Amino acid sequence: MANISEAVKIRREVLKELAKKAFDGTLKDTVRDILYTVVTDDGPRHRCCIYRERSILEERVHLALSQPMDIPLELAAAQALQGKIAKGPVMSMLPSACDRCLADKFMVTDACRNCLAHHCIVSCPKNAIFTVRNRAYIDREKCCSCGRCKTACSYSAIVEIKHPCEHACEVQAITAAPNKKAVIDHEKCVACGACKTACPFGAIGDRSVLVQVIRTLNKRRTYAMLAPSFVGQFGVKVTAAQVVAALRKAGFYAVAEVSVGADWVIAREAAEFTEQVPASKPFMTSSCCPAFVGMIKKHAKEYEEHLSTTVSPMVALARLLKEKDPEAVTVFIGPCIAKKAEALAYPADVDFVLTFEEAEALLTGAGLQAAMMPDEAMGSQATASGNLFAIAGGVAQAVAQAVQAQDGEVTVTACQSEGLEACQAMLKQLKKGELTVNFMEGMACSGGCSGGPGTMNDVRVTQRLVKNFSQTARCGS
């Protein structure tokens, strides 16, 4: 398993405590006990005092219940148990948790040699650098943070201090003014989750519907839709059959593979490509990554005409399930936070979204461990191509193969990009004709879905396990 920080441990402990209380029916009356179970009087201490720790924890519980921060915790629990979900963005700042990181600035370190050339002083357009006692100093009042001094220094003695969350956001949706709490601009945010992963204080989180999902189990026919990267998320040696058995025992009516939806997407996207490229447009992009789609729609509208109109595998599978069972409640379980935002755009198809982290908490709350479930031979119900959607490059490869199979005269020359900033750069190259390709796969996360912020395992391990599981597919393509 990947290394786990203290912030992640606390977040997971909160989810597990909520799940336990939801399953045993005591959540409404004992929800406040979580504050004293997770933050005990004996420590350890991560903040200035136990009171602030519990204040932050209370905000975290509100977010995990998908309820407003300004209502009593007991009311928040009651409303979650009733199935209520407060309106609002997927990503949120925990008001008390942000540590007001140092303002972005350049600092002169002890590596400064007070050299004769003084390249830092010469390069500064604001005359903000001077020497005192054989060392360079930066006048904060004059500094414009252009970074020229850092580039000019021969000793790399000037370093840049950045807010982790602001630095991680590749769509500039977070601002952190000096000595002020960071703020998320939800008009720009695409819910990729990079800021949540980057924040060392755990001050950014995504709302959860864990309790609302538990409420539906055994009451309605609730289907778990497992993303292709589920293999290995509940333990490296835990098999697919054990994961399915654990979810069924926890109360899910049935478990389906999202890779089946990916197979539908492959066929539809290939047909769309054949119809439109190059007849209507010179190139087309994938549409399965909601953060990539959101980036285009919010930050690069000039490329929206190139975006595939095919729905994602999650939505495709949800529609297939509801066609067969109109009473079905669909719950996507995967590595992606942006899927929570995507589900809001398809309320008739996808009812709930859980990350693997939340699904693990659900199983723990039900008193289950996937590793202890009976094992049996189980192959994927989808193709190998559908399973490989979880790995960067898998979508492009699958579409290229499908187009070739549908129409041998059409050739797909594909490229793929990981990270939203890199995706924007590649789109610009495509628009200018600097890349001679006609299909682009865009993924917000490094490694593709297998590297998403809701994963429980190292991306390299996950990719290897996904490839192994894809070999059990019902057919090889």
Side-chain angles (χ1 to χ4, degrees):
M1 291 291 180
N3 292 330
I4 302 175
S5 70
E6 289 300 317
V8 172
K9 288 178 183 177
I10 292 172
R11 183 175 71 240
R12 292 180 181 177
E13 192 172 354
V14 167
L15 291 170
K16 289 175 182 179
E17 287 296 322
L18 285 173
K20 288 176 184 177
K21 294 180 182 300
F23 270 110
D24 64 25
T26 63
L27 179 61
K28 182 179 178 181
D29 297 324
T30 64
V31 64
R32 192 166 293 277
D33 293 350
I34 295 175
L35 307 184
Y36 302 89
T37 302
V38 177
V39 179
T40 66
D41 292 337
D42 298 327
R45 296 285 174 270
H46 305 293
R47 305 281 182 167
C48 60
C49 64
I50 195 170
Y51 306 107
R52 187 180 177 199
E53 287 189 6
R54 286 179 177 153
S55 175
I56 294 169
L57 191 63
E58 186 167 354
E59 292 171 354
R60 194 177 301 283
V61 174
H62 275 92
L63 188 61
L65 292 169
S66 277
Q67 300 302 318
M69 299 280 184
D70 58 353
I71 65 173
L73 203 54
E74 292 76 11
L75 177 58
Q79 292 186 164
L81 288 168
Q82 293 169 9
K84 295 181 179 179
I85 301 173
K87 292 183 179 180
V90 170
M91 303 301 302
S92 293
M93 296 292 305
L94 300 179
S96 300
C98 182
D99 201 60
R100 300 183 181 185
C101 299
L102 291 172
D104 288 0
K105 61 184 180 180
F106 293 88
M107 297 180 65
V108 181
T109 68
D110 290 340
C112 177
R113 304 301 299 159
N114 189 28
C115 61
L116 181 63
H118 286 147
H119 293 305
C120 57
I121 295 176
V122 174
S123 67
C124 181
K126 299 294 184 180
N127 297 320
I129 303 179
F130 56 95
T131 57
V132 176
R133 295 180 181 177
N134 296 318
R135 178 174 171 176
Y137 283 87
I138 299 175
D139 185 340
R140 306 295 172 204
E141 298 299 321
K142 294 181 179 179
C143 178
C144 63
S145 299
C146 65
R148 293 181 186 178
C149 57
K150 176 186 175 183
T151 304
C153 181
S154 303
Y155 292 97
S156 300
I158 301 177
V159 296
E160 184 179 5
I161 308 298
K162 293 185 176 181
H163 294 85
C165 60
E166 193 172 13
H167 183 60
C169 182
E170 295 183 331
V171 292
Q172 291 77 53
I174 295 184
T175 55
N179 299 319
K180 292 185 178 181
K181 295 178 182 178
V183 177
I184 300 174
D185 184 343
H186 296 291
E187 294 298 317
K188 295 180 179 179
C189 178
V190 296
C192 66
C195 56
K196 172 186 172 182
T197 303
C199 179
F201 286 93
I204 305 175
D206 54 307
R207 66 181 189 177
S208 175
V209 289
L210 178 60
V211 170
Q212 289 84 344
V213 169
I214 292 172
R215 173 180 175 270
T216 69
L217 300 178
N218 297 321
K219 293 182 179 180
R220 299 178 61 187
R221 289 194 293 275
T222 307
Y223 292 73
M225 303 189 296
L226 280 175
S229 53
F230 81 94
V231 190
Q233 296 296 335
F234 302 91
V236 176
K237 296 183 179 180
V238 174
T239 66
Q242 288 177 309
V243 174
V244 172
L247 291 171
R248 289 291 304 274
K249 191 163 186 179
F252 284 96
Y253 178 74
V255 180
E257 297 173 69
V258 176
S259 48
V260 172
D263 285 339
W264 182 93
V265 169
I266 292 169
R268 179 66 192 91
E269 208 156 73
E272 184 181 358
F273 177 90
T274 304
E275 293 169 3
Q276 299 189 17
V277 179
S280 302
K281 49 193 174 187
F283 69 91
M284 188 177 84
T285 77
S286 61
S287 58
C288 58
C289 173
F292 172 70
V293 173
M295 182 270 291
I296 289 181
K297 292 185 175 181
K298 289 187 175 185
H299 300 276
K301 289 183 178 293
E302 63 270 30
Y303 305 110
E304 194 167 354
E305 62 178 322
H306 298 279
L307 189 63
S308 169
T309 59
T310 303
V311 298
S312 71
M314 174 185 77
V315 176
L317 177 62
R319 288 178 177 176
L320 290 173
L321 292 174
K322 292 202 171 189
E323 284 177 6
K324 294 180 180 179
D325 183 358
E327 299 300 317
V329 174
T330 54
V331 182
F332 174 84
I333 298 175
C336 183
I337 292 175
K339 286 292 182 187
K340 296 183 178 184
E342 183 185 11
L344 296 176
Y346 294 91
D349 304 306
V350 183
D351 294 296
F352 300 107
V353 171
L354 297 178
T355 62
F356 291 130
E357 191 175 71
E358 292 164 335
E360 170 71 11
L362 184 148
L363 294 178
T364 300
L368 300 170
Q369 293 183 43
M372 303 303 293
M373 301 304 293
D375 191 14
E376 59 183 33
M378 173 184 165
S380 175
Q381 296 301 303
T383 65
S385 295
N387 280 279
L388 293 177
F389 261 50
I391 300 175
V395 177
Q397 179 181 335
V399 172
Q401 292 175 347
V403 169
Q404 185 65 32
Q406 290 179 12
D407 188 340
E409 296 182 2
V410 179
T411 301
V412 176
T413 52
C415 62
Q416 50 113 163
S417 187
E418 306 161 42
L420 295 178
E421 192 172 20
C423 285
Q424 290 191 62
M426 183 168 284
L427 283 168
K428 290 177 182 178
Q429 288 180 296
L430 286 167
K431 194 75 170 180
K432 293 178 180 178
E434 296 175 356
L435 291 177
T436 55
V437 299
N438 53 22
F439 184 83
M440 174 190 169
E441 173 195 312
M443 292 289 181
C445 299
S446 178
C449 301
S450 55
T455 55
M456 300 277 287
N457 208 341
D458 183 88
V459 60
R460 294 163 296 182
V461 175
T462 298
Q463 289 181 341
R464 185 173 69 250
L465 294 173
V466 168
K467 289 178 180 177
N468 292 341
F469 185 64
S470 71
Q471 295 174 4
T472 71
R474 57 183 175 82
C475 54
S477 60

